[in-house]
């Protein structure tokens, strides 16, 4: 059902989830559900945790069944206290699940970093993270799996954050895949001095020059800025982590 629904990893990797399941099934003992958001502006997973808690957990349980895992850990950031409360209250009746709160920092959402933070296990370039006994799926994927199995819905939409100092009405939206940047910005409203549009997260997104570009399966945010956001100072990176 997941394969037929065309579900890809909704974390920017855009890899088929069914292939990911096949590669880890029987090899992992625990699933890590990634609800962290380690970059500025992006809050779509926060809304999923507060508004669609049941769908998130049921989707994660389906992934547990498919991968034959025995336990799941839900990882979220310390900047989301109300989301943590929603999740904690819901999973009290789920003995096979627990929630862990991690420090919000970049690149905490990376699979290998998250496994190391939660479990203290290091992965290497030669090995797949599942070789450690853990598999990571993100919140958006769990929601898509839930709708595919329970409602027979293919993956036709994705959750994005629309934000930036040029956006008049910042918001989180569930938009059809293929929606144009221009239509979304028109709906939210933008200031006249908007000068930069980024498709994707601020740290690794891509600047856009055509508002007819569209939202894809891997799009997590749409950011628009004025020139007041620009920082022309440059210096060598000292790896401070900030």
């Amino acid at each position: 059902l997941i394969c037929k629904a065309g579900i890809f990893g909704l974390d920017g990797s855009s890899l088929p989830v069914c292939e990911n399941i096949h590669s880890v099934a029987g090899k992992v003992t625990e699933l890590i559900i990634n609800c962290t958001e380690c970059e500025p502006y992006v809050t779509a997973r926060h809304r999923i945790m507060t508004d669609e808690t049941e769908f998130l957990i049921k989707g994660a349980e389906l992934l547990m069944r498919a991968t034959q895992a025995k336990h799941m850990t839900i990882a979220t950031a310390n900047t989301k206290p109300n989301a943590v409360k929603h999740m904690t209250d819901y999973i009290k009746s789920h003995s096979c699940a627990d929630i862990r709160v991690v420090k919000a920092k970049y690149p905490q959402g990376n699979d290998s970093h998250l496994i190391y933070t939660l479990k203290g296990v290091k992965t290497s370039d030669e090995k797949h993270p599942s070789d450690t006994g853990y598999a990571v799926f993100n919140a958006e994927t769990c929601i898509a799996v839930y709708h595919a199995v329970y409602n027979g819905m293919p993956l036709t939409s994705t959750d994005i954050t629309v934000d930036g100092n040029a956006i008049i009405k910042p918001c989180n939206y569930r938009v059809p895949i293929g929606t144009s940047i221009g239509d979304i910005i028109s709906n939210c409203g933008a200031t006249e001095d908007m000068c930069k549009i980024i498709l994707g997260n601020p740290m690794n997104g891509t600047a856009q020059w055509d508002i007819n570009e569209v939202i894809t399966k891997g799009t997590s945010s749409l950011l628009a800025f004025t020139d007041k956001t620009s920082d022309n100072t440059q210096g060598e990176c000292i790896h401070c982590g900030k």
Side-chain angles (χ1 to χ4, degrees):
L1 289 170
I2 291 170
C3 184
K4 289 180 179 179
I7 299 176
F8 280 57
L10 299 173
D11 55 0
S13 64
S14 296
L15 298 174
V17 171
C18 57
E19 291 188 12
N20 192 11
I21 291 172
H22 287 312
S23 68
V24 304
K27 295 172 59 178
V28 298
T29 58
E30 183 173 340
L31 294 190
I32 295 173
I33 307 303
N34 184 4
C35 295
T36 66
E37 285 169 316
C38 56
E39 299 190 39
Y41 299 104
V42 188
T43 56
R45 288 179 187 171
H46 192 151
R47 290 303 304 270
I48 288 174
M49 293 176 69
T50 57
D51 299 351
E52 300 184 297
T53 311
E54 180 182 0
F55 301 159
L56 172 59
I57 298 299
K58 287 186 175 180
E61 288 174 339
L62 290 168
L63 288 169
M64 281 184 65
R65 179 175 174 180
T67 58
Q68 302 167 40
K70 305 300 181 185
H71 188 81
M72 69 173 161
T73 297
I74 301 163
T76 186
N78 58 357
T79 53
K80 308 178 185 302
N82 63 327
V84 172
K85 185 179 185 305
H86 268 83
M87 297 296 291
T88 302
D89 291 344
Y90 188 86
I91 65 173
K92 284 179 180 177
S93 59
H94 294 71
S95 58
C96 62
D98 61 57
I99 187 165
R100 288 280 303 276
V101 180
V102 299
K103 184 178 180 180
K105 61 179 182 179
Y106 182 83
Q108 190 73 272
N110 176 274
D111 289 3
S112 297
H113 284 83
L114 199 55
I115 291 172
Y116 179 71
T117 299
L118 295 173
K119 305 299 177 180
V121 178
K122 290 185 177 181
T123 58
S124 63
D125 293 337
E126 294 78 21
K127 292 184 178 181
H128 191 273
S130 63
D131 293 331
T132 63
Y134 305 101
V136 181
F137 293 92
N138 61 58
E140 298 94 326
T141 300
C142 293
I143 295 291
V145 167
Y146 169 84
H147 288 299
V149 176
Y150 281 90
N151 301 323
M153 283 293 295
L155 181 61
T156 60
S157 61
T158 188
D159 296 319
I160 66 167
T161 298
V162 185
D163 204 350
N165 67 344
I167 297 296
I168 296 173
K169 296 185 295 181
C171 195
N172 286 290
Y173 288 105
R174 178 161 294 160
V175 300
I177 294 166
T179 304
S180 73
I181 292 174
D183 286 343
I184 296 172
I185 291 179
S186 295
N187 187 69
C188 296
T191 59
E192 294 181 357
D193 56 347
M194 179 180 70
C195 68
K196 178 181 251 186
I197 298 173
I198 297 175
L199 197 59
N201 296 343
M203 301 291 280
N204 57 17
T206 305
Q208 302 296 312
W209 59 89
D210 184 0
I211 61 171
N212 293 314
E213 283 292 331
V214 298
I215 300 300
T216 66
K217 292 180 179 181
T219 304
S220 57
S221 59
L222 173 61
L223 308 174
F225 300 103
T226 67
D227 58 1
K228 295 178 182 177
T229 321
S230 301
D231 183 2
N232 295 321
T233 59
Q234 293 184 357
E236 293 185 9
C237 177
I238 61 171
H239 303 287
C240 65
K242 291 185 178 178

